[in-house]
Amino acid sequence: MKLLGLLVLLFSSSLWASGGYNFFTNASHIFHIPAHTLALIFGSLVFLAVGVYYRAKVSTVKNVVIPDKGVSVRNIVESLAQMMINTARSVMGEESTKRYFPYVIFVFCFILITNVMGVFPGSMSPNQNLNTTLALGIFTFIYFNFQGIRAVGFINYMKHFAGPMPALAILIFPIEIISISVRPLSLALRLRGNMDGDHLILGIFSELVPYIVPIPFYAMGIFVGFLQAFVFTLLTMIYIGMATAHHDHDEHEAHH
Amino acid sequence: MENSGVMAVNSWVVLSASIAFAAAVFGGTMAQGKAASVALEGIARNPAAADKLQTPMILALALIESLVLFGFGIAFLILQKFAA
């Protein structure tokens, strides 16, 4: 079985190099929908399927504390969720994690699944297109601004941008506004550049040497996809944490 | 004559795109090397702090890498706009 998988990998990589075959590009000619949108729909369906499968699996298990034996979908999902919730606790704090974790874990799972899609020969990642990643970035931008305003109020949220000194506020305020406004763009460009660059390198090496040599690049593709999903989520958590932070540390320190 | 002129422009465009990306990669690798070496030194001196150092290190690497990717984007833009 493992040998079969290896053979499929070898031959499909050469197929990809020779034809530049891409399932989603071919399908987009039939449906008249852009390839990255089709890939995104496929990724969403995979996401939904994994979610439904995990939920069904957990509801049949007698004791949810005991993990499965070996590598199963449930174990992978739970270890990733555990990792993310530990990171969220250390970055955002306990209270914010309870409140904002659903969005964070959604972003992580979604980007992870859509990134790893790009590794399969003949498939592509929707994150290779700037439109997809910019949509994710803008969602994050809207979300952390909305939650920030909801947590501290509009006036206090604007005071975040003014800096600690009132005299310098007129200088700090525009800089802060610009640095916050470019966040969705920088998130989008980072994700898109990494995924597209990775796909490009894989394609180039499959074209140079069709057999054996591209295999490490498949491993690197999975790793980069995971890392970029993690980085996107980590930055989302940091932005949410910064936006919803209550700026009353000085008063607290005065009491101590 | 016109043809040779176009050729000359194209070769300059290719050269400038390559140099732009090479410079971006050079700066990025220097910065990432420094960030990683300092973080690893910190972990070597205090292995108990490895978990706490890892997240900021990955964050710093990602922020540095994004600038390299902006360079990649600009090199790509140069090629697309002028080399066609």
Side-chain angles (χ1 to χ4, degrees):
Chain A
M1 199 63 204
K2 278 177 185 170
L3 194 69
L4 190 73
L6 194 68
L7 281 176
V8 167
L9 197 70
L10 284 174
F11 283 104
S12 52
S13 70
S14 72
L15 172 80
W16 184 16
S18 58
Y21 174 79
N22 186 336
F23 172 74
F24 293 110
T25 314
N26 283 11
S28 76
H29 295 314
I30 300 167
F31 293 116
H32 299 289
I33 300 171
H36 64 91
T37 312
L38 282 174
L40 192 72
I41 292 167
F42 183 76
S44 311
L45 290 177
V46 172
F47 188 13
L48 209 66
V50 172
V52 168
Y53 179 81
Y54 173 72
R55 195 75 192 87
K57 193 79 189 282
V58 164
S59 65
T60 59
V61 170
K62 284 210 178 72
N63 191 351
V64 285
V65 179
I66 299 166
D68 287 353
K69 270 182 188 159
V71 180
S72 67
V73 172
R74 186 185 156 214
N75 282 356
I76 293 171
V77 169
E78 285 179 357
S79 60
L80 286 175
Q82 189 67 50
M83 189 198 79
M84 287 321 291
I85 204 161
N86 284 340
T87 315
R89 278 188 186 131
S90 71
V91 171
M92 293 196 295
E94 193 70 39
E95 279 302 305
S96 298
T97 302
K98 273 181 195 156
R99 220 171 287 162
Y100 310 121
F101 193 66
Y103 178 76
V104 167
I105 196 72
F106 160 71
V107 165
F108 178 73
C109 293
F110 192 73
I111 295 176
L112 182 63
I113 285 172
T114 47
N115 277 355
V116 171
M117 269 172 69
V119 176
F120 293 102
S123 175
M124 69 175 278
S125 168
N127 295 332
Q128 282 174 42
N129 194 300
L130 191 59
N131 294 309
T132 317
T133 55
L134 199 57
L136 287 166
I138 287 171
F139 264 116
T140 294
F141 180 73
I142 292 170
Y143 186 81
F144 79 74
N145 278 312
F146 175 73
Q147 293 294 356
I149 290 169
R150 212 173 73 161
V152 297
F154 186 75
I155 305 292
N156 280 327
Y157 189 62
M158 284 296 139
K159 273 185 193 164
H160 277 185
F161 300 152
M165 284 174 69
L168 287 174
I170 196 159
L171 291 173
I172 303 280
F173 193 74
I175 294 172
E176 283 284 319
I177 290 288
I178 290 168
S179 87
I180 281 176
S181 305
V182 299
R183 277 176 186 175
L185 196 66
S186 93
L187 281 174
L189 280 173
R190 182 180 306 115
L191 185 55
R192 186 257 173 195
N194 268 296
M195 294 326 293
D196 206 21
D198 205 61
H199 209 105
L200 206 66
I201 287 169
L202 191 51
I204 287 167
F205 273 90
S206 322
E207 207 166 320
L208 279 176
V209 189
Y211 304 101
I212 313 281
V213 175
I215 289 175
F217 291 94
Y218 282 99
M220 202 185 80
I222 294 169
F223 178 68
V224 168
F226 173 78
L227 197 69
Q228 288 311 312
F230 183 71
V231 163
F232 196 104
T233 318
L234 188 65
L235 284 167
T236 302
M237 285 191 285
I238 288 169
Y239 294 157
I240 292 170
M242 278 162 76
T244 58
H246 293 276
H247 272 228
D248 49 8
H249 300 298
D250 301 350
E251 292 162 31
H252 277 295
E253 277 168 9
H255 286 299
H256 284 303
Chain B
M1 193 172 168
E2 274 180 13
N3 201 9
S4 67
V6 169
M7 286 296 283
V9 167
N10 275 353
S11 62
W12 280 112
V13 165
V14 171
L15 191 66
S16 67
S18 312
I19 290 173
F21 190 40
V25 167
F26 181 73
T29 45
M30 295 300 274
Q32 283 202 336
K34 184 154 189 179
S37 84
V38 171
L40 289 175
E41 203 177 300
I43 291 172
R45 280 167 194 254
N46 183 6
D51 289 341
K52 283 188 179 177
L53 281 173
Q54 216 142 34
T55 307
M57 183 184 79
I58 288 172
L59 197 67
L61 292 182
L63 290 173
I64 294 161
E65 198 176 71
S66 74
L67 293 178
V68 179
L69 289 163
F70 293 171
F72 172 68
I74 285 169
F76 205 70
L77 215 68
I78 291 170
L79 276 179
Q80 270 194 331
K81 290 270 177 194
F82 300 107

